[in-house]
């Protein structure tokens, strides 16, 4: 049976619950259409309009144009206002066209009318601030940035408009020049002064001056006025600069001085803070001969006296071993203390910005004389005749295959010469690329490379190797203006381009670099060039290097930089990591360092290392909370293929994790390999290395693996390389730096005073506990938690170091030592790589017997 339907109106009308409640009345029996019509949400519509970028852009430009029009109208009215007043007054009584022709304002009749209101009736000269406010608002809407803080600037300019009107109005009133100068003060300034002058007379000027003082006090938050004390001469004392950001104003001011330099009865300088609220280290420590012991905070004031300085502490009681000193202490007024220096800018005002280089203040940067100057090196000599002959050969070869060209130009580089051709209309680019071998044959070249088309050029490039190559020395790179004037965070010079320009890149922006190249093609020299660039540009406090050299011979020259630039594990003897197990531990230690740095950035409210260090330099971060200046860390791996063969996933995973996350906290990777195959440069690693550099490789497959394109197999070797960055391929000639130059550079740096030891990375111990198989374990000197750890292992039947760390809340080293002792006691088995150790004891009863035997019971 069909149910009766109801109309929408019946569903929406609420029926009265009480009989006496009147029903809604609808006139003439018709429904109220207004109740059925949806209301327009003007607030939401307005919000959508303001969030539309087109709307804000349009409004911003309109405001800036309006501001310029207002400025022209106001200035014109100040010059021609007297003539335009009659026109403005008759604007609505006379024909509009006639009034417009008579106005002399630069902005026409509308400009004269608006200027008459703002200038003549209101603010006078002060009206010139109105266009400035409108322009700043429009600029913010258009470009999304503020030239000046908009709210504070608006407040200041509006006050300036009113105050200038009042001040000029007072001058106009007392000089009786209202007929000629009322435009300059405006109606506001003149009428207010006319009213106040009758009440206060000359006191009116004091009222106007007080208005300015009132505004300055509240606008700039002025709380007191301090007058200089000229009652006694003050001898300036040299202030020693402090490197410690914790040192406060009191420690610097109240250093011991010579006796009798000041009178002991002179009052101490007042401070504004209760010492109970200060950190412990911000107080000045009294001399041992004059101890102060705080007791109940009931006494009003007590003072501590040092030689030449009187320090007073409020709400403290001083107890001295010498009664005479106690009586003497109680007679002097006491100061209060400054606010927390990490909440104010006082530290920067007193001590200046924090300078990390003061840890090694005598450090000298390497000089250019350490590098060899190759004065007799061969230059790339390509004669005009050779260039002309090569052009003819290229044209003839292309013409033989039916390809015509419109023009051809040549650019001589240090290694290759680039011939740029413009093909005729209708020529297919792919047809030219297919003739690569034919062109190489006609030119008798080792191998050419065709770039079709050249990015952003509209031409096709043919790179032909030079017969006489140029020697690009490292000294010419270091002394170049491009490198010296670089403001990059981690500048590295990579070589010369085809157009003989020096190419300097920022490793911090790359942010990681993947290098490949066959044996003897310049890969190791490229690493030395990169390290040399960083050492020449950075201070040891700003940069730390982690060097991994599985071949054990390539990076050993940098051992001498251990106390300056190198970083290593705390228990490592060698600063250059060569052992595979230590490489794994070092990579995992860098992951821990990365996590620790991210925690510091989180606490500091910063997004990257640069912001964090800038905040620390301004002394806004408290070292007592773990904050410190963070240097850049560059990890250099010389041969990744060897590590992947011996360690595999244990190396791949931390490298991939560092490549994914470490750039924001200043850890950057440079990974090199001879064999750029897919099982070495895996997809997980390759995806996080946007910058890749390839020397000559053996096959096109290797070139595609490293660069995602061919071309690296056609390089001519000896430092000839391709750099892929931001989807752009650049051909470079790597500089040459000899072993002798590296030795002299490391000798120069290593012979200087350095840190006590290399930069210590966080401790990391794998499941093997960090102990080698050849190390003996003394069971007579067992860990106090040996029994508890043994029971834990047997209960869970899992011989894992990480289990001991989690359950017993121990560190890496201690948990590793416990695992070694459990292995020596035959409770767990030997280390088996990434797998957990076997548990040799199956129940707690058997374990208790082993423990009793170890105790000698």
């Amino acid at each position: 049976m069909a149910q009766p339907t109801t109309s929408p109106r019946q569903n929406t009308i609420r029926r009265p619950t009480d009989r006496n409640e009147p029903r809604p009345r609808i006139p003439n029996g018709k429904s109220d259409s207004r109740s059925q019509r949806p209301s327009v949400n003007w607030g939401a519509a307005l919000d959508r309009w303001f969030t539309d970028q087109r709307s804000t852009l349009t409004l911003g430009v309109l405001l800036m144009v309006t501001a310029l029009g207002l400025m022209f109208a106001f200035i014109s009215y100040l010059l021609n206002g007297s003539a335009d007043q009659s026109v403005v007054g008759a604007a609505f009584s006379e024909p509009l066209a006639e009034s417009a022709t008579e106005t002399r304002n630069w902005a026409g009749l509308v400009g004269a009318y608006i200027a008459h209101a703002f200038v003549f009736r209101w603010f006078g000269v002060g009206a010139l601030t109105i266009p400035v406010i409108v322009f700043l608002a429009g600029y913010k809407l258009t470009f999304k940035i503020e030239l000046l803080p908009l709210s504070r600037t608006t407040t200041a300019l509006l006050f300036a408009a009113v105050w200038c009107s009042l001040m000029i109005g007072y001058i106009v009133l007392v000089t009786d020049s209202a007929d000629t100068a009322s435009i300059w003060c405006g109606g506001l300034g003149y009428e207010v002064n006319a009213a106040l002058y009758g009440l206060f007379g000359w006191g009116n000027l004091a009222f106007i001056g007080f208005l300015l003082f009132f505004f300055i006090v509240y606008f700039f938050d002025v709380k007191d006025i301090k007058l200089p004390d000229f009652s006694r001469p003050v001898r300036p004392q040299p202030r020693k600069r402090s490197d410690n950001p914790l040192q406060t104003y009191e420690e610097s001011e109240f250093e011991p001085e010579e006796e009798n330099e000041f009178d002991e009865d002179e009052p101490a300088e007042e401070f504004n803070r209760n010492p109970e609220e200060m950190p412990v280290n911000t107080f000045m420590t009294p001399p041992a001969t004059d101890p102060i012991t705080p007791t109940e905070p009931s006494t009003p004031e007590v003072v501590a006296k040092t030689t030449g300085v009187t320090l007073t502490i409020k709400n403290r009681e001083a107890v001295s071993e010498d009664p005479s000193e106690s009586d003497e202490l109680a007679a002097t007024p006491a100061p209060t203390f400054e606010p927390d220096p990490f909440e104010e800018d006082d530290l920067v005002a007193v001590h200046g910005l924090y300078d990390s280089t003061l840890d090694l203040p005598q450090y000298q940067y390497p000089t250019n004389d350490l590098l060899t100057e190759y004065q007799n090196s061969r230059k790339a000599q390509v004669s005009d005749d050779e260039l002309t002959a090569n052009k003819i050969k290229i044209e003839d070869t292309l013409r033989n295959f039916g390809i015509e060209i419109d023009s051809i130009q040549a650019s001589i580089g240090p290694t290759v010469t680039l011939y740029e051709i413009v093909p005729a209309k209708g020529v297919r680019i792919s047809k030219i690329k297919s003739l690569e071998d034919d062109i190489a044959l006609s030119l008798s070249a080792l191998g050419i490379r065709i770039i079709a088309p050249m990015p952003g050029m509209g031409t096709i490039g043919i790179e032909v190797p030079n017969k006489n190559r140029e020697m690009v020395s490292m000294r010419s790179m270091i002394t170049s203006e491009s490198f010296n004037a670089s403001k990059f965070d981690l500048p590295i010079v990579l070589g010369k381009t085809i157009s003989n320009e020096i190419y300097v890149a920022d490793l911090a922006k790359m942010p990681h670099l993947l290098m490949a190249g066959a044996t003897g093609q310049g890969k190791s020299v490229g690493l030395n060039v990169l390290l040399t660039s960083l050492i020449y540009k950075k201070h040891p406090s700003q940069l730390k290097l982690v060097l991994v050299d599985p071949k054990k011979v390539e990076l050993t020259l940098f051992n001498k930089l251990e106390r300056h630039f190198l970083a290593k594990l705390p228990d490592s003897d060698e600063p250059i990591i060569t052992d595979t197990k230590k490489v794994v531990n070092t990579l995992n230690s860098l992951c821990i360092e990365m996590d620790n740095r991210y925690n510091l950035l989180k606490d500091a409210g910063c997004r990257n290392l640069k912001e964090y260090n800038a905040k620390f330099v301004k002394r806004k971060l408290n070292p007592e909370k773990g904050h410190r200046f963070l240097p850049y860390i560059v990890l250099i791996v010389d041969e990744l293929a060897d590590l992947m063969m011996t360690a595999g996933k244990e190396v791949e995973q931390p490298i991939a994790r560092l490549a994914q996350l470490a750039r924001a906290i200043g850890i950057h990777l440079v990974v090199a390999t001879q064999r750029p195959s897919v099982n070495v440069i895996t997809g997980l690693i390759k995806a996080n290395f946007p910058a890749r550099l390839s020397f000559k490789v053996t096959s096109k497959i290797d070139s595609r693996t490293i660069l995602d394109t061919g071309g690296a197999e056609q390089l001519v070797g000896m430092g000839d390389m391709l750099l892929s960055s931001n989807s752009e391929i650049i051909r470079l000639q790597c500089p040459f730096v000899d072993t002798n130059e590296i030795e002299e550079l490391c000798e120069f740096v290593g012979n200087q005073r350095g840190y006590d030891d290399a930069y210590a990375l966080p401790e990391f111990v794998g499941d093997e506990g960090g102990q080698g198989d050849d190390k003996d374990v003394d069971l007579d000197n067992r860990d106090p938690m040996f029994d508890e750890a043994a029971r834990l292992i047997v209960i869970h039947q899992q011989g894992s170091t990480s289990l001991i760390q989690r359950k017993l809340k121990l560190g890496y080293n201690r948990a590793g030592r416990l695992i070694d002792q459990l292995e020596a006691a035959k409770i767990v088995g030997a280390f088996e790589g990434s797998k957990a150790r076997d548990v040799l004891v199956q129940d707690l009863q058997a374990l208790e017997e082993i423990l009793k035997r170890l105790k000698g019971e």
Side-chain angles (χ1 to χ4, degrees), residues 147-205:
L147 289 176
L148 295 171
L150 185 58
S151 60
R152 286 181 60 86
T153 305
T154 301
T155 303
L157 291 178
L158 289 177
F159 175 81
V162 174
W163 190 85
C164 289
S165 176
L166 293 177
M167 191 65 198
I168 298 176
Y170 178 83
I171 298 174
V172 169
L173 184 67
V174 298
T175 56
D176 293 328
S177 56
D179 295 334
T180 59
S182 59
I183 292 180
W184 298 93
C185 66
L188 174 68
Y190 186 83
E191 295 297 333
V192 171
N193 277 281
L196 294 179
Y197 192 83
L199 297 175
F200 304 108
W202 288 92
N204 190 19
L205 182 62

Side-chain angles (χ1 to χ4, degrees), residues 122-150:
W122 292 344
F123 304 115
V125 177
L128 295 178
T129 61
I130 304 300
V132 178
I133 297 174
V134 177
F135 184 86
L136 292 177
Y139 192 93
K140 181 178 180 180
L141 289 175
T142 303
F143 300 106
K144 305 299 186 298
I145 57 176
E146 292 183 347
L147 289 176
L148 295 171
L150 185 58

Side-chain angles (χ1 to χ4, degrees), residues 490-501:
L490 292 176
I492 54 175
V493 58
L494 296 179
K496 277 189 176 182
T497 64
I498 292 178
S499 57
N500 283 298
E501 296 178 355

Side-chain angles (χ1 to χ4, degrees), residues 197-214:
Y197 192 83
L199 297 175
F200 304 108
W202 288 92
N204 190 19
L205 182 62
F207 173 78
I208 297 174
F210 179 80
L211 283 181
L212 179 61
F213 173 79
F214 180 86

Side-chain angles (χ1 to χ4, degrees), residues 68 83-84 156 236 277 288 320 566 620 629 631 670 788 823:
L68 294 177
D84 285 341
E277 301 176 5
S320 175
L566 299 190
K620 294 183 178 180
F629 185 86
V670 179
E788 188 174 354
E823 179 186 355

